[in-house]
Amino acid sequence: MFRGSIPVPHEKTMDFTELIKAIPKAELHLHIEGTLEPELMLQLAERNDIRIPYDSVEEIRKAYEFTDLQSFLDIYYAGAGVLQTRQDFYDLTYAYLERAAADNVRHVEIFFDPQTHTERGIPFDVVLDGISSALNVGEAQLGITFRLILCFLRHLSAADAMATLDEAIPHKARLHAVGLDSSEVGHPPAKFTRVFDRAREAGLLTVAHAGEEGPPEYIREALDLLKVRRIDHGVRCLEDPALVERLVNEQIPLTVCPLSNVKLRVFDTLEQHNLAKLLDAGLCVTVNSDDPAYFGGYIGENFLQVQQALRLDVESLQTLARNAFTASFLSRAEIERHIDAVDAVFDSA
Ligand code: ADE
Ligand code: ZN
């Protein structure tokens, strides 16, 4: 007998929490200094006998109210002051990898900002040795593969960036790409054209933050002058339809960071985030965590909150998960292997 039950759409019964947890993930936009949790900050301050203006984890978390990118960067660079030794950079990086493993991250392409540390007298190789040894141990013990991306601080001069590149080139076997971060507005990609030319001549790939707070023109400059393979953030591209068309045609990935964008007031709420529009436009969008210790969530939390806020369907999640590997600097064969693993999770969902 027909019981007349109303068919429940698949999407409504889907357990997104379980699905998102199960997705094999790649993280392509992660500042290692932005994974410094308040607990570790306090521990390192004590270990290194450094005074910080906070006495407790709660006090630190309370300070994380930002009005824009700069208000965050001021606190973020101050927090990084507790990082002093190779062991500190190792501990920071390994702690991140353990969190990433819990989110089923299989591959990471992480940023580090050497100038934040060399400016304070910490030698470049102390920073690089600590981070890269943790990445190697993480690959062996947690099975997370990696690429390391050196970012230049764009609020500093091009000459300073060039000197940093000079210091980095002898270590280039451990680096895969260079990037550009920090205060965007007033520091266009064009300022770093020669630095990025030299990095590419040395065999490094290039990426850049652009179109986070800065205008679409900065995205064009990053493409034309810095010859980037990916745009970090890029959310303001929607203001320029011709640019969107180009990004779609060239399939230039955007490493979007939803929770970061809300914390830094690029969007007032997650419901207002343009990620679904970016996907609808045919852009190669990926989901990432940026500075998770400061923005309230690692990659799994970014996926979950943005899915809920924008009511993303299963197909969109699958596209986002696949895009992360397609947009990575892994080999074709490795990308295909990871995409097969992504598809297997969705096939059995
Ligand atoms: N450095 C760390 N996080 C950043 C962001 N979201 N934008 C620019 N520079 C950064
Ligand atoms: Zn970033």
Side-chain angles (χ1 to χ4, degrees):
M1 192 183 86
F2 176 63
R3 289 175 188 276
S5 63
I6 300 163
V8 179
H10 181 54
E11 302 292 335
K12 292 233 171 85
T13 57
M14 175 63 64
D15 182 346
F16 282 105
T17 309
E18 285 307 310
L19 173 63
I20 287 170
K21 218 192 257 176
I23 297 172
K25 300 176 189 73
E27 169 118 80
L28 307 180
H29 185 155
L30 183 282
H31 302 263
I32 198 62
E33 294 89 349
T35 68
L36 179 60
E37 290 288 343
E39 290 81 358
L40 185 58
M41 192 189 291
L42 288 172
Q43 209 180 309
L44 295 184
E46 192 174 330
R47 181 156 103 189
N48 295 323
D49 204 14
I50 288 175
R51 292 190 62 79
I52 56 171
Y54 316 106
D55 290 324
S56 67
V57 166
E58 295 69 38
E59 249 185 75
I60 298 177
R61 288 203 201 284
K62 251 213 215 123
Y64 294 173
E65 284 297 330
F66 312 116
T67 50
D68 58 9
L69 175 58
Q70 193 59 51
S71 67
F72 155 68
L73 291 172
D74 293 341
I75 287 188
Y76 167 77
Y77 294 135
V82 301
L83 297 162
Q84 298 278 318
T85 67
R86 180 187 182 282
Q87 186 68 43
D88 298 342
F89 287 95
Y90 181 96
D91 292 347
L92 173 74
T93 307
Y94 204 80
Y96 161 67
L97 291 171
E98 287 184 317
R99 286 174 187 270
D103 270 345
N104 205 19
V105 171
R106 313 308 308 148
H107 178 69
V108 296
E109 302 196 350
I110 70 174
F111 301 130
F112 74 117
D113 288 340
Q115 290 158 296
T116 300
H117 314 297
T118 52
E119 265 201 325
R120 303 181 285 116
I122 313 294
F124 181 92
D125 56 350
V126 164
V127 180
L128 181 60
D129 283 355
I131 296 171
S132 56
S133 54
L135 288 168
N136 281 313
V137 174
E139 178 163 349
Q141 295 193 348
L142 305 169
I144 300 176
T145 54
F146 65 88
R147 300 282 186 264
L148 192 50
I149 303 173
L150 182 161
C151 269
F152 300 109
L153 298 181
R154 67 203 305 159
H155 68 275
L156 300 178
S157 69
D160 204 318
M162 194 64 99
T164 302
L165 180 61
D166 284 339
E167 209 169 353
I169 282 178
H171 305 278
K172 71 179 184 188
R174 284 189 279 174
L175 304 171
H176 206 78
V178 296
L180 190 62
D181 64 4
S182 193
S183 325
E184 187 181 4
V185 174
H187 302 285
K191 175 174 162 185
F192 297 95
T193 303
R194 287 203 316 113
V195 179
F196 274 60
D197 281 348
R198 176 132 196 278
R200 288 196 318 283
E201 281 158 24
L204 296 165
L205 302 179
T206 61
V207 297
H209 284 54
E212 177 186 20
E213 285 189 346
E217 185 54 27
Y218 285 18
I219 300 175
R220 288 181 186 282
E221 281 188 14
L223 295 169
D224 293 334
L225 304 179
L226 308 187
K227 319 257 185 245
V228 297
R229 301 294 187 97
R230 301 194 289 252
I231 295 287
D232 296 312
H233 294 294
V235 291
R236 286 195 59 190
C237 71
L238 284 190
E239 295 167 30
D240 181 340
L243 174 61
V244 171
E245 198 182 329
R246 175 176 179 189
L247 292 166
V248 171
N249 286 342
E250 296 178 20
Q251 280 295 290
I252 302 287
L254 305 184
T255 63
V256 174
C257 307
L259 293 178
S260 163
N261 291 153
V262 174
K263 268 301 232 184
L264 302 188
R265 311 299 300 271
V266 174
F267 299 96
D268 286 336
T269 66
L270 211 45
E271 287 71 20
Q272 289 167 287
H273 199 287
N274 67 5
L275 180 138
K277 293 191 187 85
L278 297 168
L279 273 177
D280 287 347
L283 289 153
C284 180
V285 181
T286 68
V287 170
N288 306 272
S289 65
D290 208 5
D291 303 283
Y294 292 86
F295 299 152
Y298 286 74
I299 192 169
E301 195 60 26
N302 272 271
F303 263 101
L304 194 57
Q305 288 200 30
V306 83
Q307 184 280 320
Q308 288 172 352
L310 303 181
R311 307 228 167 277
L312 298 179
D313 59 14
V314 174
E315 201 186 332
S316 301
L317 284 177
Q318 187 166 6
T319 301
L320 290 168
R322 287 169 136 250
N323 285 351
F325 290 105
T326 306
S328 74
F329 294 139
L330 287 166
S331 70
R332 246 302 110 213
E334 288 168 306
I335 290 170
E336 276 166 22
R337 184 173 58 76
H338 284 294
I339 287 180
D340 287 348
V342 167
D343 289 349
V345 166
F346 282 89
D347 288 347
S348 63

